[in-house]
Amino acid sequence: MKKLTIALSLFAAITSQQTLAQSSDPTIMTINGVPVSRSEFEYSYNKNNGEGVIDKLSVDEYVTLFVNYKLKVAAALDAKLDTLSSFRQEYAMYRDQQVKPTMVTDAEVLTEARQMYDRTKAMIGSRGLIRPAHILLKLSTKATAQQQDKIKQRIDSVYSALQAGADFAEMAKKISDDGGSAARGGELPWIAPSQTLKEFEDVAYSLAPGEMSKPFLSPIGYHIVLMKERKQLEPFDSLKQNIVASLERRGIRNDIADMKLRRKVNESAGKLTAEQVMQQQSDSLAATDNGLKYLFQEYHDGLLLYEISSREVWDKASQDEAALKAWFDTHKKNYAWKEPRYKGIAYHVKTKADVKAVKKCVKSLPFDQWTEALRTTFNPDSVIRIRVEKGIFKPGDNATIDKMVFKQNVSAMSDANYPIDAVFGKKVKRPDDYTDVRQQVVEDLQDYLEKEWVEDLRRRYQVEVNKEVLKTVNKHL
């Protein structure tokens, strides 16, 4: 009896916790049988109605957008777009950008920094670091004996001047063939052993601070070296911050994550793939961090939304020329202009003969073929014979057309290389066909297809919104 009492008490405690958990994040809506929690809706609402948003929506207004979004995702899932390899690869890339940094601790980065420091210190050894300045007179390996003698005489002359008191930095700026260091008075960055030419290193490491070498030859020419400073590598703690920053810039966290990922795959003895390991890591993070959970969901649903919208609306409208023509023919009055336009070209040529030649080239061609005809006739290669602006212009769009067609008192900028301005085309009161206002027709057809699609989705999928829970958005503790 006592055991039964304890068991019932335990069951009551568990169910009480479950009820509390459910009530702390209740279902705000159900779309196609899939529940949406209040926290997910809040995440989306707050992200899209933050401080930087100009046209903020009320919660009720946002519900419509959110439901339409989820309906499109449901349609994409029904179309199995989430099984496409392109979708999986792109989603995995987005997900891994968030997951990989969490697989690496600061301590692991610090360990890498320490190992880099130890390797560098071992490479430098007791010889330490040097910061020399040098003057270089370049000498080609193919130089003749006469050329070699000339450069040798010149470097000896420079050395004599330096010995006589000439300023090393000024001499380097004036005559050194190493442009980068010459601008700094010949100064080079800190150098470690085995980082430069052996001939240069042997001489430089033999010098004490303030000491100058005699001219010597390396594979690139003659040098004179002045030793500025020498030192041993600083303690790790004094360099730690810079080393870590350098490793971070080089993507050390991603490298460590990849290494740990390979290790987990290998340790599974063929039971796990890299993708499965990353998904496990993602699921583990999402279970404890709602922000990441909904970010993953946002990536997932956003990619599906883009793909399904392209198929159902964007590409369907922009690529179906017959549909665009039919839409324009049915809605011509929507595309009437308040003032005439000029359908043609403003062009600029070098000779009067080309003024007539341009007109002759295009006058018998459809408007959409003018650009290619002009290019192949007048500008077929790197020699540009004419300059052309083609389009359907209203006053204010083009200074040449404003002046020559609309007879406005404007100053058109002339090009000295193409001094003769001309126009060819015609004034039109309304668009001839949909190609004259193609972009506007595409946008209008897309809007229509979008509206029709959403209405169809709302007929196909059941949507239930809990109004009481909706009232608590951003108002619960």
Side-chain angles (χ1 to χ4, degrees):
M1 185 68 178
K2 184 176 182 182
K3 289 182 179 180
L4 179 60
T5 302
I6 294 173
L8 289 172
S9 298
L10 182 59
F11 175 75
I14 293 172
T15 54
S16 175
Q17 289 178 350
Q18 290 175 338
T19 302
L20 180 62
Q22 292 169 358
S23 63
S24 65
D25 191 14
T27 295
I28 197 168
M29 63 183 69
T30 303
I31 298 174
N32 192 33
V34 178
V36 177
S37 65
R38 179 176 60 190
S39 61
E40 181 184 353
F41 178 84
E42 285 179 335
Y43 170 87
S44 180
Y45 175 77
N46 293 332
K47 184 171 184 177
N48 291 289
N49 288 272
E51 292 299 322
V53 177
I54 298 175
D55 299 323
K56 293 185 178 181
L57 300 177
S58 68
V59 171
D60 287 336
E61 290 171 331
Y62 192 72
V63 166
T64 300
L65 293 179
F66 187 81
V67 168
N68 291 346
Y69 167 71
K70 285 293 188 180
L71 287 172
K72 294 171 186 176
V73 173
L77 291 171
D78 278 355
K80 301 190 182 306
L81 299 186
D82 58 328
T83 65
L84 296 174
S85 60
S86 57
F87 165 81
R88 291 185 173 185
Q89 290 169 5
E90 194 163 4
Y91 172 67
M93 180 187 72
Y94 281 121
R95 178 202 62 200
D96 294 354
Q97 286 174 353
Q98 300 298 322
V99 173
K100 281 188 175 181
T102 69
M103 299 170 66
V104 182
T105 66
D106 290 343
E108 288 171 324
V109 174
L110 193 59
T111 297
E112 289 291 327
R114 182 77 212 202
Q115 290 175 355
M116 173 180 270
Y117 174 84
D118 290 341
R119 289 193 299 270
T120 303
K121 187 174 182 181
M123 179 191 72
I124 292 172
S126 60
R127 300 182 74 189
L129 300 167
I130 57 172
R131 189 169 70 87
H134 82 140
I135 294 171
L136 168 68
L137 297 184
K138 289 184 177 180
L139 181 64
S140 171
T141 55
K142 298 179 181 179
T144 64
Q146 185 179 3
Q147 291 171 327
Q148 293 178 31
D149 288 342
K150 185 177 179 181
I151 295 295
K152 180 66 169 62
Q153 290 174 14
R154 190 176 176 210
I155 197 72
D156 287 342
S157 175
V158 172
Y159 182 64
S160 297
L162 291 170
Q163 284 186 310
D167 185 78
F168 191 97
E170 289 303 315
M171 292 287 282
K173 290 177 181 178
K174 290 178 181 178
I175 67 173
S176 179
D177 290 332
D178 180 4
S181 68
R184 300 187 297 273
E187 289 189 11
L188 295 167
W190 285 100
I191 295 174
S194 302
Q195 274 193 325
T196 186
L197 297 167
K198 184 179 185 303
E199 294 83 357
F200 187 96
E201 180 180 316
D202 288 346
V203 173
Y205 267 97
S206 70
L207 301 174
E211 188 177 0
M212 184 176 68
S213 75
K214 293 180 180 180
F216 65 93
L217 185 63
S218 82
I220 62 172
Y222 280 100
H223 306 259
I224 298 173
V225 174
L226 173 65
M227 183 53 58
K228 306 293 288 186
E229 294 181 80
R230 299 186 67 139
K231 68 177 182 179
Q232 293 298 319
L233 187 64
E234 292 88 344
F236 174 69
D237 285 345
S238 64
L239 299 176
K240 176 174 62 178
Q241 188 173 349
N242 289 338
I243 297 173
V244 168
S246 175
L247 288 172
E248 294 278 15
R249 287 193 298 271
R250 288 161 49 187
I252 188 63
R253 289 182 183 270
N254 196 64
D255 292 343
I256 295 173
D258 285 340
M259 179 187 65
K260 295 173 82 170
L261 179 60
R262 288 192 296 270
R263 185 188 305 149
K264 286 187 176 182
V265 171
N266 291 336
E267 289 173 350
S268 74
K271 294 180 181 178
L272 293 174
T273 64
E275 167 61 24
Q276 289 170 327
V277 172
M278 291 305 297
Q279 189 58 53
Q280 288 178 356
Q281 187 76 10
S282 170
D283 292 342
S284 177
L285 290 169
T288 57
D289 186 334
N290 266 356
L292 274 178
K293 173 184 175 181
Y294 295 137
L295 183 60
F296 293 148
Q297 186 72 39
E298 185 178 15
Y299 284 156
H300 180 276
D301 292 354
L303 290 171
L304 290 176
L305 176 67
Y306 180 86
E307 184 63 32
I308 193 73
S309 296
S310 295
R311 296 182 179 208
E312 296 293 331
V313 177
W314 304 333
D315 291 348
K316 187 179 289 188
S318 63
Q319 297 175 9
D320 190 341
E321 302 300 322
L324 290 171
K325 182 180 185 305
W327 178 270
F328 173 80
D329 291 342
T330 306
H331 302 86
K332 278 186 179 180
K333 63 180 181 180
N334 296 338
Y335 303 103
W337 295 320
K338 294 181 180 179
E339 54 187 348
R341 307 290 172 96
Y342 187 73
K343 183 176 181 179
I345 55 174
Y347 60 104
H348 318 276
V349 298
K350 299 179 179 182
T351 67
K352 289 183 178 180
D354 274 346
V355 173
K356 292 183 178 179
V358 167
K359 293 178 181 179
K360 183 178 179 181
C361 175
V362 301
K363 67 179 182 179
S364 61
L365 296 176
F367 188 61
D368 62 357
Q369 295 179 19
W370 287 16
T371 299
E372 183 61 16
L374 291 171
R375 186 191 68 79
T376 56
T377 303
F378 297 96
N379 301 333
D381 48 36
S382 59
V383 178
I384 307 301
R385 186 169 153 191
I386 65 171
R387 286 180 49 242
V388 181
E389 297 101 41
K390 172 179 172 287
I392 300 176
F393 304 92
K394 65 180 184 296
D397 284 348
N398 184 284
T400 301
I401 289 173
D402 285 346
K403 183 177 181 179
M404 300 184 74
V405 176
F406 296 119
K407 307 303 180 183
Q408 294 183 353
N409 185 21
V410 297
S411 176
M413 291 288 291
S414 60
D415 187 331
N417 295 317
Y418 305 89
I420 304 173
D421 299 328
V423 296
F424 182 71
K426 63 179 180 178
K427 277 187 178 180
V428 289
K429 294 182 179 180
R430 62 186 64 83
D432 290 333
D433 57 51
Y434 78 96
T435 60
D436 291 346
V437 283
R438 191 179 193 283
Q439 186 57 42
Q440 187 179 348
V441 174
V442 167
E443 291 172 1
D444 290 348
L445 182 54
Q446 286 176 341
D447 288 343
Y448 171 77
L449 292 175
E450 169 84 13
K451 188 179 298 183
E452 290 287 300
W453 183 36
V454 169
E455 288 177 1
D456 178 62
L457 291 176
R458 286 185 174 266
R459 287 191 294 269
R460 284 168 54 192
Y461 299 120
Q462 186 174 2
V463 176
E464 297 176 3
V465 178
N466 189 320
K467 298 290 187 181
E468 294 304 313
V469 175
L470 194 64
K471 293 177 183 177
T472 67
V473 169
N474 289 335
K475 296 177 181 178
H476 57 92
L477 294 178

